[in-house]
Amino acid sequence: MSVAAKSANPKHPNAKASTPITLEAVGTRLESLLDRLSERYTRLVELAHAHREALRLADTAALKELTKAEGTILGEIALLDRDRQTLVRDACGTIIVPGKSLALTDIAGHVGEPRRGSLVRKAEDLRGVMRLWLELSAAIKQAATTLAAHMDGLVRQVGKQLSHAGTYSRRGYVEASGAVVSSLDLKS
């Protein structure tokens, strides 16, 4: 079913009103995009669980590898977001939603049956996985911040115990500094 572009959506000034796109083509592109995004975010959730466990075990090698893998996936998601923006821009000429910009769920809702239900479900599932990843990511950030503060406190305590002078710095605590090298000449 071909739907000619009615007018450019004011929320998307770059929309091409002269280039019609069929709802079937929109549906095909949307399904592919939703599948690829869901795959990446599901992988991020898996990595977040592993990241939390690596933090619990203080496994720095695992943390390094997990951070690298997360960075790679986030880079892939950034590329997929460009595809999302292009899809939204292309769909704006066909789908007009007054007063708001198009979300993937909005686009899915305009695709004809029998695909509509499946696409709306996939878009909602993606939103749920994204929300879960954000929650896990926030918890990991909090745990990492707490662990870093704990390690900083330990370093200060060790520095205080090893301080030769036992004096406080301008900041109000004994700072760990470079090692003091002392020697005693026993031959003289």
Side-chain angles (χ1 to χ4, degrees), residues 44 47 64-78:
L44 279 177
L47 289 173
K64 180 179 178 182
E65 290 302 314
L66 289 166
T67 302
K68 184 177 177 182
E70 288 169 352
T72 300
I73 293 172
L74 288 171
E76 293 170 1
I77 289 173

Side-chain angles (χ1 to χ4, degrees), residues 15-16 19 21 26 29 85-94:
K16 298 176 183 176
T19 307
I21 184 171
V26 169
R29 287 172 55 190
Q85 291 171 358
T86 301
L87 176 62
V88 169
R89 186 173 50 247
D90 292 348
C92 280
T94 303

Side-chain angles (χ1 to χ4, degrees), residues 9-144:
N9 191 329
K11 291 282 187 176
H12 300 282
N14 294 332
K16 298 176 183 176
S18 62
T19 307
I21 184 171
T22 64
L23 287 175
E24 184 177 324
V26 169
T28 300
R29 287 172 55 190
L30 178 61
E31 185 169 24
S32 172
L33 179 64
L34 289 171
D35 289 342
R36 291 180 292 157
L37 282 169
S38 290
E39 177 186 317
R40 296 324 186 280
Y41 276 102
T42 300
R43 182 68 182 130
L44 279 177
V45 167
E46 293 167 359
L47 289 173
H49 287 295
H51 197 134
R52 190 170 66 186
E53 183 64 14
L55 268 175
R56 189 182 72 74
L57 298 173
D59 185 350
T60 56
L63 288 169
K64 180 179 178 182
E65 290 302 314
L66 289 166
T67 302
K68 184 177 177 182
E70 288 169 352
T72 300
I73 293 172
L74 288 171
E76 293 170 1
I77 289 173
L79 293 175
L80 290 172
D81 192 59
R82 288 185 192 162
D83 293 346
R84 181 196 60 80
Q85 291 171 358
T86 301
L87 176 62
V88 169
R89 186 173 50 247
D90 292 348
C92 280
T94 303
I95 302 168
I96 305 298
V97 180
K100 72 178 210 175
S101 60
L102 288 175
L104 296 181
T105 308
D106 297 326
I107 295 171
H110 284 82
V111 174
E113 288 294 347
R115 294 175 86 184
R116 177 183 307 144
S118 170
L119 290 175
V120 168
R121 222 174 356 272
K122 284 183 178 190
E124 289 170 353
D125 290 347
L126 173 61
R127 183 174 284 150
V129 172
M130 291 171 71
R131 224 179 263 128
L132 176 60
W133 177 72
L134 287 172
E135 290 170 7
L136 289 170
S137 188
I140 289 168
K141 179 183 177 184
Q142 179 63 39

Side-chain angles (χ1 to χ4, degrees), residues 152-178:
D152 187 45
L154 289 176
V155 168
R156 287 185 187 161
Q157 286 296 322
V158 170
K160 182 178 176 183
Q161 295 299 319
L162 297 177
S163 172
H164 288 284
T167 58
Y168 290 93
S169 70
R170 290 184 186 141
R171 295 182 187 168
Y173 54 85
V174 176
E175 289 186 2
S177 60

